[in-house]
Every structure is written in C-alpha cells, then in structure tokens.
C-alpha cells in the first residue's frame, strides 16, 4: 500500500528515513510494533531511535498534523504572505493525506 504520511519498515537498526514532508518536527511520531518510542532527529530526513528495536519488529514513522488548531489565523487588514498561505494550505493537505492513510 502507498502511504502519504507514514512509512513502515522492518526493524533494522536505529536509524530510519522520514520520506514525507511535515510542518514541524513535533508532528512526527515513531512507533515500534504500534507503541510510541523515543527518538531524535539526525537531520530533517532521518530519525534515530533511542533503543534498537528487536528483530522482527515493525517500525512506523508517521506524521500527525494538528487538526484542532489552525496554524494560521488570518486577520482583516493584515499583510497576506506566501508563507502563511502555504502553511495554511499544507496543513489542510496533510490532514487530508493522514485521513486517507487511515482509511
């Protein structure tokens, strides 16, 4: 299956690629066999798990974009920037992709 906001790996060490876009590192979660684990970013496209998962485990890297809070709040008479427009549309796109992945 093709996912937009998650990548599933068989366990093979502690370093894994993040091969999808995200708005903030806080939106990235790592699961081993469905359970959250501690990790750190090596760079924007790679994470390192705090502990090596057992052989035969499944490692899932996923994005969870905030759905309850708008990342951009437009105001009357304010300056409309490309950054704000992009952030607003990407938040919506990412939420849709994440919902598609779950369906």
């Amino acid at each position: 299956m093709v996912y937009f906001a998650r990548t599933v790996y068989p366990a093979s060490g502690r370093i894994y690629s993040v091969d999808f876009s995200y708005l903030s590192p806080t939106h990235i979660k790592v699961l081993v066999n469905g359970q959250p684990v501690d990790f750190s970013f090596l760079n924007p496209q790679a994470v390192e798990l705090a502990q090596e998962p057992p052989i035969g485990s499944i490692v899932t890297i996923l994005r969870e974009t905030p759905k309850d809070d708008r990342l951009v709040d437009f105001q009357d008479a304010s300056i409309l920037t490309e950054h704000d427009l992009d952030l607003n549309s990407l938040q919506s796109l990412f939420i849709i992709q994440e919902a598609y992945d779950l369906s």
Side-chain angles (χ1 to χ4, degrees):
M1 176 167 196
V2 175
Y3 293 110
F4 292 101
R6 68 181 55 220
T7 306
V8 179
Y9 297 99
S12 63
R14 293 176 48 199
I15 298 174
Y16 296 89
S17 295
V18 180
D19 62 355
F20 47 83
S21 299
Y22 55 92
L23 299 174
S24 168
T26 61
H27 301 169
I28 300 299
K29 309 295 183 228
V30 179
L31 309 174
V32 173
N33 294 330
Q35 299 301 312
V37 297
D38 292 331
F39 68 96
S40 58
F41 280 88
L42 295 175
N43 61 55
Q45 293 83 34
V47 295
E48 181 176 21
L49 306 188
Q51 296 182 356
E52 187 167 338
I55 300 289
S57 297
I58 300 298
V59 177
T60 305
I61 314 293
L62 60 94
R63 180 183 69 218
E64 290 184 351
T65 306
K67 296 160 190 57
D68 298 334
D69 296 319
R70 294 174 23 189
L71 299 178
V72 177
D73 183 18
F74 296 106
Q75 301 293 321
D76 286 340
S78 65
I79 296 175
L80 191 58
T81 66
E82 177 187 3
H83 175 266
D84 288 344
L85 289 169
D86 287 347
L87 183 60
N88 185 66
S89 64
L90 284 173
Q91 182 183 17
S92 297
L93 174 64
F94 289 173
I95 290 169
I96 291 165
Q97 288 176 335
E98 292 158 20
Y100 178 85
D101 284 356
L102 290 174
S103 66

